[in-house]
Amino acid sequence: MQSPSPSADGRASDLPAYAVLLRTLNRELNRSTLDFAHQHGLHATDIHALSVIMDSAEDPDGPATPSRLREELRLTSGAVTACLDRLERAGHISRVRDSADRRVVHLVYNPHARSLARAYFSPLARATEAARSRFSPDELTTIATFLGTLNAALAAGHEGQT
C-alpha cells in the first residue's frame, strides 16, 4: 500500500497524516524483520535484541550488556537469558567477559551474522538510499532531526514505566 507524502498533498502539518505514515513504516519494517526472524528460527524479541546489540556497538556508553537489554526491551532476567541463549546458539552473538571486570558480560554481534543480516536487508538498504537520494542534504538534516526528536520524545515517555 502506497501512502501519500504529507507534503505531496499539502498536509505537511497534519498530525493524522504523519501517524498513518509512521504506522505504515512500522508495518513495513516489522514485515521485513519478522520474515528474517522466521527464516532464521528466531523470535521477534530476538530481532529487537539484535538491533540493540548492533546499535550499541556505536554507542558512547559502550557495548550492550544483558542488563541493558533487560531495560531496553523491558524483559525479565529470565527472558533475556533465554533470548541470548537462542541468539548465541544460532551464531548471531557472542557473550564476552569484560577484561577489567569479569562480572560484566558484553554482547557482540558476530561478523558472520552481521553479514547474513546485511545481505537479507539489502533491499531495505537500497530502498532507503533511493528515498534518501530524493532529498537535499538540508532536507535530510531536517528529517534526521525530526526522527531523532521523535525517538527521544517517545523514549522519554517510556521512562519510569515498567
Side-chain angles (χ1 to χ4, degrees):
M1 175 182 145
Q2 192 79 314
S3 293
S5 163
S7 59
D9 60 6
R11 299 185 307 169
S13 62
D14 184 1
L15 181 59
Y18 274 97
V20 169
L21 291 169
L22 291 170
R23 285 192 303 268
T24 302
L25 175 62
N26 187 51
R27 279 193 306 275
E28 292 303 323
L29 292 173
N30 280 338
R31 182 180 300 165
S32 294
T33 56
L34 292 175
D35 285 347
F36 179 82
H38 179 72
Q39 287 184 16
H40 296 279
L42 301 173
H43 297 167
T45 302
D46 301 341
I47 300 302
H48 294 298
L50 283 174
S51 174
V52 171
I53 294 166
M54 178 176 56
D55 292 347
S56 69
E58 306 299 322
D59 194 323
D61 291 334
T65 62
S67 295
R68 184 169 173 184
L69 271 186
R70 184 182 53 73
E71 291 169 12
E72 294 236 7
L73 301 180
R74 301 191 188 275
L75 298 173
T76 64
S77 294
V80 168
T81 298
C83 172
L84 295 176
D85 288 346
R86 282 190 302 273
L87 291 172
E88 195 167 39
R89 270 194 311 273
H92 289 277
I93 65 152
S94 295
R95 295 179 227 201
V96 178
R97 297 246 175 229
D98 186 277
S99 59
D101 184 349
R102 303 284 297 153
R103 295 171 298 176
V104 176
V105 174
H106 296 284
L107 306 171
V108 178
Y109 199 162
N110 292 334
H112 172 73
R114 187 182 297 270
S115 295
L116 182 73
R118 187 173 287 124
Y120 182 87
F121 289 106
S122 64
L124 175 61
R126 285 192 302 274
T128 301
E129 192 51 40
R132 282 174 31 90
S133 72
R134 297 180 60 192
F135 296 92
S136 72
D138 286 343
E139 290 171 321
L140 290 172
T141 297
T142 300
I143 293 166
T145 300
F146 168 76
L147 291 173
T149 302
L150 179 59
N151 286 336
L154 292 171
H158 293 296
E159 288 178 7
Q161 294 179 354
T162 54

